[in-house]
Amino acid sequence: MRRWLLRRLRKRVMTLSDKMIVSVGGMTCAACVRRVEKALKEVEGVLEVNINLATARATIIHSERWAGVQALARAITEQGYEFLGELTDSFDDPVDKARALELKELTFKVSCGAILSVIIFLGSMQHWFSFLRFIPHQVMLLAMFVLTAPAVFWVGNRFFAGAYKAAKQKTSDMNTLVAVGAFSAYAYSAAATFFPHFFESAGVAPHVYYDGAAMIITLILLGRLLEARAKGKTSSAIKKLMELKPKTAHILREGEELEVAVESLQAGDVVLVKPGEKVPVDGIVLSGQSTIDESMLTGESMPVAKETGQKVFAATMNKTGSFTFRATGVGSETMLAHIIRMVEEAQGSKAPIQRLADQVASVFVPVVFAIAFVTFGVWYLLPADASFSRALINFVSVLVIACPCALGLATPTAIMVGTGLGAQSGILIKGGEALEKIHQLTVIVFDKTGTLTRGEPEVTEVVAADGLDERFVLAVAAALEKTSEHPLARAILRRAQTDQIVSAPAEQFLALSGMGARGVVDGQLSLIGNRLLMNDQGVSIDLPDDTTAILENSGKTVVYVASEQKIIGLIALADVPKASARQAVESLKRRGLKVAMVTGDNQGTAKSIADQLGIERVMAEVLPGSKAEEIRKLQAEGEVAAMVGDGINDAPALAAADVGIAIGAGTDVAIEAADITLIRDDLTAVPEAIALSFATMRVIKQNLFWAFIYNIIGIPIAAGALYPFFGILLNPEFAAAAMAASSVSVVSNSLRLRRVWGKRQRFKAED
């Protein structure tokens, strides 16, 4: 009974809950996300918190009675992060401004750090450069001490701030490693500069590592800059959608036409839309007829005929006639606003990537400190010739060799090389998130129109009535369609041009909205259009019924051509698959992946295309806003799904998928919402993108291995594990050299990806 009451109570609380989205500044890693989530969950009345690191947004679900926005702000700032405000329907995201400032600051600091690092390196290697030998060595050391201070504490201030935040939470992360490594190198060098006799008494030359301290900070900050640039591209999909909305609308009030801002429209207003204008809000047509291009919303290429009683949607383009409609969905109630919310929620629902480096760092840093202190204690207490200076030097050696310079380079260098190679092959990978998921994919879902198919109709068959020639049918059709802008008309004209059929434009041409057109061709009244037009004009369709039925059942559009009240033939048109579609599907199947297709078309049309391409799973008659739901259904079945699409209606599905892949020839919104963009309109790039991601991820894992193997081997040596057996100690000079060697190996391994991928591409070209 008690459990039943608790379930009822929880259900009641959830029904009274509300949701809000706030922007958080200053988060740099998964550890930051965990700290902010934990703090927000402790706010009174907060039921659930989900933070997306890429968009810097926190989605808060709270009960009716809760502490309020100020409590959220206080919880965030107490953790050392910035509360940037609530995200409202205006979509004026404060994170964009903060991100722009961060990119500007990072770029400036990386530049300053690079310049200082070069100068400090020259000073450290004074004996290599004859033009510096005239400067006294002690003066040079003092100069490097001064120059390294801003390189470490100003350029790298974010690492020290991050380490402090982690320490407050009694944990550690990458920031802790960087701060400890850089500070240890700087402090040791400062001691060697001002107290050289201390080291000489221990039999150790007082070497300095100012250049190492500066380079640690600069190189890892460069990785942060690259990561920030990649993340900045993931949040602009919503702005791209908002730009589609027209700014003004024409409304009819008391018989007068007024131009008003779209924001001022209310449900029930009567709106006039002229040819070439965008529909400002959702509504129902009251009067007039027209064709509307809804491709930005549905991805379907052919304009849709609209007449009294039919729905129209915001941001779609009116092509031909004028019409009036009654506004039914305004502001946040339009289909466009609904898609915007779905994109936003899908992006926000992605779980933060649990970075391997941060996970290891949370354990690695305390272990390193423990080893360092144990090393100091052992060397200070146990040896017969024990001394404080020797113990301190070994203590610092352990900290220096544990410096995570290579760890910081492991991911960004591989991603830089991988994305560069991808761009050369027409593939743009936005960051490590896709790389971490793609090797787990089990199913690839393709949008149909514009993705698997060309996105525009083509003539597939021309059928002539008995005793007539197909060229004659095409000639009459081309004459009638010469002045039309309809996609079917353009397809017929292309076919006529291919067959070298030349015909003069029809005289007395008249477009019949939603049905077709009529005109005089060679002195004869001719018609072209659908079955409705022929019935309206009293033309008997005496072609064999089974011919039309076969064509329509295979998903093709049938257009009838008549002359002098007699049918002379028909033309079948269809959106045909791209040349690369079947090859791409077969390649994905060979990799062991399932392939599915989702479309708003009817089952017959969808199955026809799927059969041609060898796709077994078909999701047909899916509404524009429901593609993301189909992706979630697959994920609920345990599938790891990638979505390949090009239309605005694909954007929520691209964002909801584990990996979103956009066709570069598609809409900007789809491209922005995706993790991978295919720059060229070639579907064989989909399996190529997966192969490149596999290769890049493999290199990242190898890099992380090399980054840690030096530490695993070097730390015990630095602690003196070999001294009792071989008399070997790892002085800080050699510890820094080992640190540099690990960085070189990581960069070299990343560059090796070029050779591996180059060989693969050459083999593919030869094949």
Side-chain angles (χ1 to χ4, degrees), residues 52-57 93 95-96 99 103 226-241 343-344 346-348 350 355 428-434 651 654-655 660 668-677:
N52 183 271
L53 179 60
T55 59
R57 292 174 182 172
D93 192 351
V95 171
D96 291 334
R99 182 174 285 121
L103 280 173
L226 296 173
E227 185 180 0
R229 284 181 175 173
K231 285 195 294 186
K233 296 177 182 177
T234 64
S235 61
S236 55
I238 292 170
K239 287 196 290 295
K240 294 282 186 182
L241 284 169
V343 172
E344 185 177 61
Q347 285 186 338
K350 284 186 176 179
R355 298 287 185 189
L428 177 62
I429 303 172
K430 289 189 177 178
E433 288 82 358
L654 289 167
D668 288 344
V669 176
I671 292 169
E672 293 292 346
D675 302 297
I676 296 175
T677 299

Side-chain angles (χ1 to χ4, degrees), residues 491-748:
I492 291 170
L493 291 172
R494 283 197 304 270
R495 176 62 179 267
Q497 185 178 11
T498 302
D499 291 355
Q500 298 182 340
I501 295 173
V502 180
S503 56
E507 299 174 354
Q508 302 176 31
F509 175 82
L510 177 65
L512 303 169
S513 180
M515 294 189 292
R518 74 181 181 188
V520 177
V521 180
D522 293 332
Q524 296 182 324
L525 180 63
S526 302
L527 299 168
I528 185 169
N530 55 25
R531 187 187 294 268
L532 181 63
L533 174 63
M534 298 301 150
N535 293 337
D536 182 69
Q537 297 293 318
V539 177
S540 174
I541 303 174
D542 54 8
L543 288 171
D545 287 341
D546 59 343
T547 301
T548 305
I550 290 170
L551 292 171
E552 289 180 340
N553 288 339
S554 63
K556 296 178 181 178
T557 301
V558 176
V559 175
Y560 297 93
V561 185
S563 182
E564 292 297 316
Q565 297 297 107
K566 290 184 179 179
I567 198 79
I568 62 173
L570 60 81
I571 299 172
L573 302 98
D575 187 8
V576 299
K578 293 177 181 176
S580 59
R582 186 169 184 84
Q583 183 183 349
V585 171
E586 290 175 350
S587 178
L588 290 169
K589 284 184 171 181
R590 284 196 300 270
R591 296 187 71 92
L593 294 166
K594 303 170 191 173
V595 181
M597 183 178 76
V598 61
T599 178
D601 282 349
N602 61 62
Q603 191 70 35
T605 302
K607 193 172 186 310
S608 173
I609 295 294
D611 289 344
Q612 293 178 56
L613 299 176
I615 297 174
E616 296 173 358
R617 180 160 184 170
V618 178
M619 294 167 276
E621 300 177 16
V622 178
L623 295 174
S626 301
K627 289 185 179 179
E629 187 59 35
E630 294 296 326
I631 295 294
R632 293 190 185 97
K633 286 179 183 177
L634 287 172
Q635 292 168 331
E637 294 171 9
E639 304 284 4
V640 182
M643 173 70 190
V644 186
D646 72 318
I648 287 172
N649 64 312
D650 299 327
L654 289 167
D658 296 288
V659 178
I661 304 175
I663 306 296
T667 61
D668 288 344
V669 176
I671 292 169
E672 293 292 346
D675 302 297
I676 296 175
T677 299
L678 309 182
I679 299 171
R680 66 183 194 269
D681 191 9
D682 182 357
L683 289 177
T684 59
V686 174
E688 278 188 41
I690 293 173
L692 178 59
S693 296
F694 265 87
T696 307
M697 194 64 192
R698 186 165 56 248
V699 166
I700 289 174
K701 290 178 179 178
Q702 292 168 351
N703 285 350
L704 291 172
F705 169 78
W706 287 113
F708 282 113
I709 196 68
Y710 283 92
N711 288 331
I712 292 170
I713 295 172
I715 288 175
I717 297 174
L722 297 180
Y723 185 77
F725 308 102
F726 306 104
I728 296 175
L729 284 174
L730 190 63
N731 288 334
E733 179 182 4
F734 300 107
M739 178 196 70
S742 65
S743 299
V744 170
S745 65
V746 162
V747 174
S748 300

Side-chain angles (χ1 to χ4, degrees), residues 70-218:
Q70 292 301 319
L72 297 180
R74 190 162 52 251
I76 291 170
T77 53
E78 284 176 356
Q79 296 301 313
Y81 301 94
E82 292 180 86
F83 176 76
L84 299 176
E86 181 182 356
L87 202 66
T88 61
D89 286 340
S90 67
F91 295 101
D92 183 17
D93 192 351
V95 171
D96 291 334
K97 185 176 180 181
R99 182 174 285 121
L101 291 173
E102 182 189 23
L103 280 173
K104 186 177 180 181
E105 179 191 355
L106 278 172
T107 303
F108 180 64
K109 286 191 173 181
V110 167
S111 301
C112 292
I115 294 169
L116 288 170
S117 295
V118 170
I119 296 171
I120 294 164
F121 173 77
L122 293 175
S124 298
M125 301 301 173
Q126 184 182 12
H127 55 285
W128 287 5
F129 305 102
S130 57
F131 63 90
L132 294 176
R133 289 175 185 168
F134 73 94
I135 302 176
H137 183 63
Q138 192 61 29
V139 173
M140 182 64 77
L141 290 177
L142 290 171
M144 287 191 293
F145 171 79
V146 173
L147 291 172
T148 307
V152 171
F153 300 108
W154 175 69
V155 174
N157 66 334
R158 65 178 51 227
F159 300 117
F160 290 93
Y164 175 70
K165 292 174 188 175
K168 282 178 66 178
Q169 299 298 315
K170 299 180 177 62
T171 184
S172 57
D173 56 19
M174 271 289 293
N175 292 309
T176 312
L177 278 173
V178 176
V180 168
F183 181 76
S184 298
Y186 181 73
Y188 180 89
S189 301
T193 299
F194 295 103
F195 308 104
H197 298 296
F198 177 83
F199 295 88
E200 291 169 357
S201 65
V204 178
H207 293 287
V208 295
Y209 305 101
Y210 291 118
D211 53 337
M215 287 180 181
I216 289 168
I217 295 294
T218 303

Side-chain angles (χ1 to χ4, degrees), residues 239-250 259-265 271-274 276-282 296 313-318 325 329-331 334 336-337 340:
K239 287 196 290 295
K240 294 282 186 182
L241 284 169
M242 291 302 296
E243 289 169 3
L244 296 170
K245 187 176 69 174
K247 300 291 186 289
T248 60
H250 301 283
E259 185 172 355
V260 299
V262 170
E263 288 76 11
S264 66
L265 286 177
V271 184
L272 171 66
V273 183
K274 301 175 182 178
E277 292 183 344
K278 286 183 177 181
V279 179
V281 293
D282 293 0
M296 53 70 59
F313 300 99
T316 55
M317 179 65 74
N318 183 30
F325 72 94
V330 298
T334 65
L336 177 63
I340 289 171

